[in-house]
Structures are given as structure tokens and as C-alpha cells.
Amino acid sequence: MLKKIIALFCLLFSLGVKAQVGGEATYQFLNLISSPRQAALGGKVLTNVDYDVTQALFNPATINVAMDNQLALNFSSYLGGIGYGTAAYAYTIDRRTQTFHAGMTYINYGSFDGYDENGVSTGSFSGNETALSFGYAMQVGYTDFYFGANVKLITSKLEQYSSFGAAVDLGLIYINEDLDFHAALAIRNLGSQITTYAGLNEPLPFEVDFGISQRLENVPIRWHVTLENLQKWPISQPNPARATSDLGGNQSDEKIGFLGQVMRHTILGAELFPEGGFNIRLGYNFRRGEELRIVDQRNFSGLSAGISIKMSKMRFSYTHAKYTSAGNSNFFGLQIDLQ
């Protein structure tokens, strides 16, 4: 069984290796940060297998019985006044059939003033997108591997244009309980548009991510390392604003070496007291930090930090993520135990 699942992952990965990242696919909101916890740990985490019901929006293999009857509501006032949020809920039928998961991701781009080609006002318009997901995970035989899948229905309305699509996420996670070590692989957004905006079929933001994490034996810290966008190499291109000129006026483009490309795929995170009622979370996203960095100015792009506090049957989470000197994001989350 395990060999069949690994073979399926390899096949799906080979079908999507030409997939692109930002700006070259539709429904980009599908890969936005799903919770304050994820935001605090650098933006993408695949390996948390605990009460965090929102984690399954990114890696369905993490669906587990600890999520039973947990409801999570998350919101962010994003860059440029964009508002988006997520919701998730899980329910365990019984110990044999495990846990079913449902989730939603919603984004509202706000209101815009419309004008025709002659500069005449056509009134205001808005844009919003929504994805509904349904997930399930299962143990692979009697191994330490767990396999999960999300099925997603996607709607998008941008001004007078609308689109509908469908996709699946696939996840595989290895859990070593003796070492408290987790390793996970997620293949996201395998699908297509069913109806297009204006007759042109666009690809979905296909993504392959890999992550590992471990809780230290004698210290209440769980560290995380995530490698994102493994479907594309190289992931970064020279920034024209960082070109240099010599005394003769000859211009040289920014050079991004092999190590620079590797680092741009890497996200680091750490969580203090991961199983307690009070958590402190820190993260660093190398790609965000490098691509949003201002030359000759320290602006701490890529850093994120957050806290979580549990009060009775509710857990409140907050994260502040640093993007640029001109724009940062705050993430708020509430998880309620309905049992």
C-alpha cells in the first residue's frame, strides 16, 4: 500500500513540475497563509498533528482525532486593505473511520472605482474568491505513515467576470512517536477551472512542499523546517533594481547562486511550549526576506512572531508578520472546543 501511494505522489509530481508560482496562475489565494500559527512559523507548516484543526487546510494528512469537534475561525487584514480569512471544523465519527474535516478560505479584495477607456466613471466594483474543502486521512496499513486528501470547490468573481474550479490536495506524513519527529509532503491544488473568466483556461497555483519538525527532548520547543515550491527551480530571478554599475558604466545583473536559490525555498520556525496553554512562536521566511529587502536598509522582512493563549475551551492566537517597511500583516484566530 505504501509503495502504491509513493508511486502516485511521484506520478502527480511529474505531471506538475512545470507549474509556476505567483502571477502565472489563477486562484492565487489558495496558497495564502491559513492561520496565525502558520503565519508565526514562517508562513507554511505541514507537520503539526494536534488540536490545530486549521492545519488540515494545508496538509490533509494531519487530520486526526485530537481535532474532533474543534472549530477554528481566522482573519487577517492583509496588505493593501485586502481582508481574508479561513474557517475549519473536524468531526470524528468513531475511532475506526477516524475524522472528517471541512474548511473554507475566503478573500475580499475590497471596492474599486471603474472607468472606461475614455476615463468616464463606470461605478464601483469589487472582487472576492472562496474555496470550500472536504478532507479525510487514514493510516497506511500498520506503518507510521498517514495519507490524506482534500477536495476543493473554488468560486471567483472579479468585477463582471466569474469562474468556478475544482482541485485536490494530497498529503503524506511520517510520525515517529519515540523521537517526536514528523516529516511531511504536500501536493496542493491539483485541478483546473471548470468555467473560465473570459474563455481562457488558466492553470491553478500548483505547489509541492516538504517539511520536518521535532520536539526537543529536554526543552519545550518544537522546531520546523519547510521547503516550499519544490515544483519550480530556480524560484527567483534577478531584481533589476539591484543591478550594479562599474566605473565604466557597465551594468551587471544581480547574481543568485545555488545556495541563494536553496535558501529562497526554506522557511524556519520554532514554537515554545507547543503543547501548553500558552505558546510563543517565531519564524523566518527567507524568500520573503530577500525579495522584499530594501538595499542598504534594515527592515526585518521575512520575520514573524505570534502567541497563543488557551482559556477554558477557547484558544486565541495572534501573529504579526513583517513584509516591508510600508506594509505588514496581523493575523487573528479563535479556536473553540465544542465538546
Side-chain angles (χ1 to χ4, degrees), residues 39 93 98 187 294 330-331:
I93 303 297
Q98 294 296 311
I187 298 178
I294 299 176
N330 296 300
F331 299 82

Side-chain angles (χ1 to χ4, degrees), residues 147-161:
F147 173 77
N150 282 333
V151 176
K152 297 190 287 193
L153 302 177
I154 310 156
T155 63
S156 175
K157 182 172 178 58
L158 306 174
E159 208 254 346
Q160 61 178 311
Y161 303 98

Side-chain angles (χ1 to χ4, degrees), residues 1-3 5 138-147 172:
M1 182 66 178
L2 177 59
K3 291 182 178 179
I5 291 176
M138 58 179 286
Q139 186 175 7
V140 181
Y142 295 97
T143 71
D144 294 326
F145 288 86
Y146 296 80
F147 173 77
L172 183 69

Side-chain angles (χ1 to χ4, degrees), residues 77-98:
S77 179
Y78 205 48
L79 304 174
I82 295 172
Y84 84 91
T86 63
Y89 175 74
Y91 184 73
T92 300
I93 303 297
D94 57 51
R95 294 282 173 171
R96 182 174 180 275
T97 55
Q98 294 296 311

Side-chain angles (χ1 to χ4, degrees), residues 15-58:
L15 291 174
V17 291
K18 294 183 179 179
Q20 304 298 313
V21 290
E24 299 176 348
T26 191
Y27 307 148
Q28 287 287 342
F29 77 104
L30 294 175
N31 287 332
L32 287 176
I33 295 167
S34 64
S35 71
R37 189 183 191 188
Q38 190 183 64
L41 296 174
K44 292 179 183 176
V45 176
L46 310 176
T47 55
N48 284 324
V49 183
D50 52 24
Y51 62 86
D52 187 2
V53 68
T54 314
Q55 173 70 88
L57 290 174
F58 228 80

